[in-house]
Amino acid sequence: MDDQRDAPPASTTPLARRTFLGRSAAAGAATVAVPLALSACGGGDEATDETTGGDEYEPGSASLKHELAPEIEGINYPEDYVGPRARELQPFGDGEREFTILSQIDPGMDLETNSYSTHLEETTGVSAKYVTVPAGEDGKTKVNAIVAGGDLPDAMMVGQDIFTLSEISIYGQQGLFLPLDKLIDENAPHILDMFSSFPDMRPQYSSPDGRLYAVPSMNDCYHCKAANVRTWINADWLEAVGAEVPQTLEEYEAVMEAFRDWSGRPQGSALTTASAETMLQLMQFFMGSFLEMPDLHLRRAGDTIEWLHRDPAFREGMIWIQEQFAKGNLDRGILSNTAEQYQKLGDAADGPLFGMAYGYSTFHFAAAADPSDPQDVSRVMKIMPPLEGPAGVRSCQWDHFSYGYPNFVITPQCPDPVQMIRWADHQFELGLTISLTRGEQGTDWDWADQGLQGIDGQQAVYQILDPGTELTNRVWREWGPLYKSMSQRHSEAVPENSPSIEPILYAGTSINEPFATPEEIGVPPLIHDMEQSAQVGEIITNLEDHVKQLMADVATGRADAGEDAAWNAYLDGAEAMGVDTYLSISQAAYDEQYG
């Protein structure tokens, strides 16, 4: 499977009001159905409390009833491997009861006939009927309708943006989702093994009331940590003008001048560019040369949350960006380039038509990439380190907090929550976690021989048998329960001339890690109630539009960031949009969760 399908970690940012109000209405409608759903569990509130422990249950206080399955011998793990292990799983379900489970699907997927679905049923003994929705916005709309209708499935796989952590907390406290702490403590040894290895997982994905309403899946993506500002430079152009990768803003300007004066520069090419969708990411890359910027808006100073645009260094950075537009180093096309137009620049027949470009991975600036081809855009473009600014600042925005997402919820409709939590728990075993996205063991992948190297250069644990093979309807995606620690993700063998983009992203991230923004200035995930989520979501949307407008104004000369009147107008506009309300709500949530 193409690793470029790695998505940005699921956001914990509240939804914009126009999105969240629809869900709020759905939640309100579904709440009416909760007593009926609880009754369907077979005994009402008393039976539910016995299963979940009720309001008084203390997470971690119950005794485990099922032990970890024995390890499979002969697997080659690197010395410092931390993550799921290959185990001799045994079925526990009787197959007589069919559970309904909601999941997203891609075109061409049929979970009833899907190879991983079949393998999972054989491994667990649990029979499942899948309620499917399409990935993306259409899927969210359909899930809202299901919740609003009150006829909930037994469980839902809601990772990768179906529900935010705030929504799960809201719905859980309304009774739409069961609290899972006691179920996990008694029946989920593999999930508990993850919590033991990564003790921050459980509290980070628990609600402010202390309960865990969704099983969190770990997907600790190393290259994702720097992806929000990942910027690439054209190695062919550098070679043509006899330049090296710039290390400072001054060197960047010299390289851009060399590109501009190069007689061989392709017609219609841009020096430094992005799409309208990603221009704020490119902006933040350059802003890292003026101040440590852990997020587009917020940072921490001790335990105080600040809007960093009030920092004079942010204004200095915007003045510099304005100068680069004036010089032609920054392409004004970033204000209007669609995703497709941007990709066409990267897919040009004679090589990419840009000198520098933003890209989470190559999928942003190229529709297709094949790293096994030395002339491919993924090999021509090289990941940049951050650039040192005039005051010596050289930082890379680093995501310290997104190493998983709330994934699997069980509803009061479920006739046997114990079987459902064990079904999820089995998938935290290494073999199932691999098969979820890599296909069938023995056909698509197998355990790695001694001496094979993984993505990080250490001993590989498993290898793909036929790289590049399409796995249509043989895998899920990263929607199901899974345990992808960083060690697990890096343990895939990398053959010579591999078509995987992962080694390139790993190497590029390693270049950036020494300049990572410190964890202590970042704002960890915050959980808001329904009203706060709607309010904050709307403010964030308006603030992002406000920054984009500022970029457009300085790019076109309509505003001068160096003029006090223009800059004060920008700050005043943000205040009118509610930036101080955003800070106040965020500070209160931070104090409640982390104070």
Side-chain angles (χ1 to χ4, degrees):
M1 177 171 282
D2 189 348
D3 288 319
Q4 292 195 66
R5 298 189 71 175
D6 264 345
S11 174
T12 55
T13 301
L15 296 174
R17 180 179 293 271
R18 58 180 175 265
T19 303
F20 194 84
L21 287 181
R23 295 196 184 180
S24 300
T31 303
V32 177
V34 168
L36 296 175
L38 290 173
S39 178
C41 267
D45 292 344
E46 185 176 342
T48 301
D49 285 352
E50 183 178 347
T51 300
T52 65
D55 293 340
E56 304 304 318
Y57 181 71
E58 181 68 27
S61 62
S63 299
L64 190 61
K65 297 179 179 179
H66 307 280
E67 299 299 322
L68 281 168
E71 280 197 44
I72 295 173
E73 297 182 358
I75 309 299
N76 296 309
Y77 298 100
E79 185 176 348
D80 59 354
Y81 180 88
V82 180
R85 299 262 171 170
R87 300 185 181 276
E88 298 175 358
L89 298 176
Q90 297 297 323
F92 55 86
D94 56 19
E96 294 181 1
R97 178 181 286 121
E98 186 176 64
F99 293 86
T100 56
I101 303 172
L102 181 141
S103 176
Q104 301 175 77
I105 56 169
D106 281 327
M109 290 180 69
D110 178 358
L111 295 191
E112 300 297 330
T113 61
N114 182 276
S115 299
Y116 179 73
S117 302
T118 301
H119 177 51
L120 184 58
E121 182 169 343
E122 293 171 349
T123 305
T124 62
V126 174
S127 177
K129 178 178 178 60
Y130 295 97
V131 179
T132 58
V133 298
E137 290 299 324
D138 287 347
K140 295 178 184 180
T141 301
K142 290 182 181 295
V143 173
N144 286 342
I146 291 170
V147 173
D151 186 16
L152 300 175
D154 298 324
M156 294 191 280
M157 295 184 284
V158 296
Q160 301 285 12
D161 292 337
I162 286 289
F163 291 135
T164 67
L165 190 55
S166 289
E167 288 173 298
I168 285 173
S169 175
I170 292 165
Y171 294 159
Q173 291 178 68
Q174 288 181 341
L176 292 174
F177 306 147
L178 295 180
L180 303 179
D181 291 283
K182 185 182 179 186
L183 284 164
I184 290 173
D185 291 337
E186 291 184 339
N187 305 288
H190 303 93
I191 296 173
L192 289 176
D193 182 57
M194 179 185 70
F195 288 165
S196 176
S197 296
F198 300 94
D200 289 342
M201 280 288 286
R202 188 166 190 161
Q204 177 161 316
Y205 295 102
S206 293
S207 295
D209 66 359
R211 295 180 175 188
L212 196 65
Y213 292 105
V215 176
S217 284
M218 171 168 272
N219 194 358
D220 195 7
C221 170
Y222 176 67
H223 71 73
C224 298
K225 297 184 185 303
N228 198 51
V229 293
R230 179 168 293 125
T231 301
W232 309 61
I233 192 164
N234 192 319
D236 285 353
W237 286 24
L238 285 174
E239 183 178 2
V241 300
E244 301 291 333
V245 174
Q247 303 295 316
T248 67
L249 290 182
E250 186 177 1
E251 291 177 6
Y252 162 80
E253 293 197 52
V255 168
M256 291 302 106
E257 184 176 356
F259 285 171
R260 186 184 301 105
D261 296 341
W262 172 38
S263 61
R265 182 161 71 95
Q267 187 175 3
S269 61
L271 298 184
T272 302
T273 194
S275 65
E277 179 186 35
T278 60
M279 68 174 176
L280 293 186
Q281 279 69 36
L282 182 64
M283 178 201 80
Q284 290 172 86
F285 169 79
F286 287 117
M287 281 293 183
S289 302
F290 295 88
L291 75 167
E292 292 180 324
M293 195 170 178
D295 176 75
L296 177 59
H297 294 293
L298 302 183
R299 69 182 178 196
R300 274 187 300 155
D303 288 325
T304 301
I305 296 178
E306 303 174 333
W307 185 51
L308 52 77
H309 294 212
R310 288 181 171 136
D311 189 323
F314 183 86
R315 181 184 181 183
E316 292 171 14
M318 191 57 68
I319 292 171
W320 182 88
I321 286 174
Q322 175 178 299
E323 293 170 352
Q324 303 315 302
F325 277 117
K327 293 176 179 179
N329 294 339
L330 287 178
D331 172 33
R332 289 187 183 178
I334 69 173
L335 304 176
S336 58
N337 283 337
T338 65
E340 292 76 17
Q341 288 171 330
Y342 190 31
Q343 287 180 335
K344 284 182 179 179
L345 294 175
D347 290 331
D350 294 327
L353 295 176
F354 39 66
M356 277 179 57
Y358 168 78
Y360 186 99
S361 184
T362 55
F363 62 76
H364 267 132
F365 53 71
D370 179 9
S372 65
D373 178 3
Q375 302 304 314
D376 186 73
V377 62
S378 61
R379 300 283 293 275
V380 172
M381 300 301 295
K382 304 294 183 182
I383 296 174
M384 288 275 297
L387 302 172
E388 183 177 328
V393 178
R394 190 180 190 187
S395 66
C396 172
Q397 187 178 107
W398 194 268
D399 186 350
H400 291 276
F401 304 108
S402 296
Y403 44 78
Y405 38 83
N407 184 290
F408 184 74
V409 300
I410 301 174
T411 73
Q413 191 78 21
C414 180
D416 189 346
V418 171
Q419 277 206 57
M420 275 289 86
I421 201 67
R422 295 193 69 191
W423 179 86
D425 179 70
H426 257 44
Q427 294 177 76
F428 282 64
E429 183 267 343
L430 177 58
L432 282 178
T433 282
I434 296 172
S435 290
L436 179 105
T437 57
R438 290 296 188 251
E440 183 181 350
Q441 182 184 354
T443 301
D444 302 307
W445 69 273
D446 219 328
W447 304 117
D449 296 331
Q450 185 70 38
L452 286 180
Q453 288 190 348
I455 291 166
D456 59 1
Q458 298 191 66
Q459 169 64 43
V461 175
Y462 71 100
Q463 59 185 321
I464 305 302
L465 299 181
D466 189 10
T469 298
E470 288 293 328
L471 299 175
T472 304
N473 209 39
R474 290 159 65 184
V475 297
W476 290 359
R477 262 174 68 187
E478 292 171 341
W479 298 317
L482 54 85
Y483 179 11
K484 287 190 170 184
S485 64
M486 193 177 293
S487 291
Q488 190 279 332
R489 286 184 59 98
H490 291 166
S491 69
E492 181 174 304
V494 180
E496 189 175 353
N497 297 322
S498 170
S500 173
I501 192 68
E502 288 279 340
I504 292 172
L505 298 178
Y506 175 85
T509 306
S510 299
I511 292 172
N512 282 270
E513 186 173 11
F515 309 102
T517 52
E519 181 174 356
E520 57 267 22
I521 71 168
V523 178
L526 302 176
I527 299 175
H528 303 287
D529 64 26
M530 187 179 296
E531 182 179 353
Q532 292 170 335
S533 289
Q535 189 175 13
V536 170
E538 184 174 41
I539 293 170
I540 290 173
T541 298
N542 291 337
L543 287 176
E544 289 188 2
D545 290 344
H546 193 47
V547 182
K548 289 178 180 178
Q549 186 60 55
L550 175 65
M551 286 280 285
D553 289 345
V554 301
T556 57
R558 290 195 299 265
D560 183 351
E563 292 184 356
D564 289 345
W567 191 252
N568 289 335
Y570 171 71
L571 297 179
D572 291 344
E575 290 171 7
M577 292 173 183
V579 68
D580 290 315
T581 300
Y582 176 29
L583 287 173
S584 177
I585 293 173
S586 299
Q587 186 69 60
Y590 176 82
D591 292 342
E592 180 181 6
Q593 293 172 238
Y594 302 99

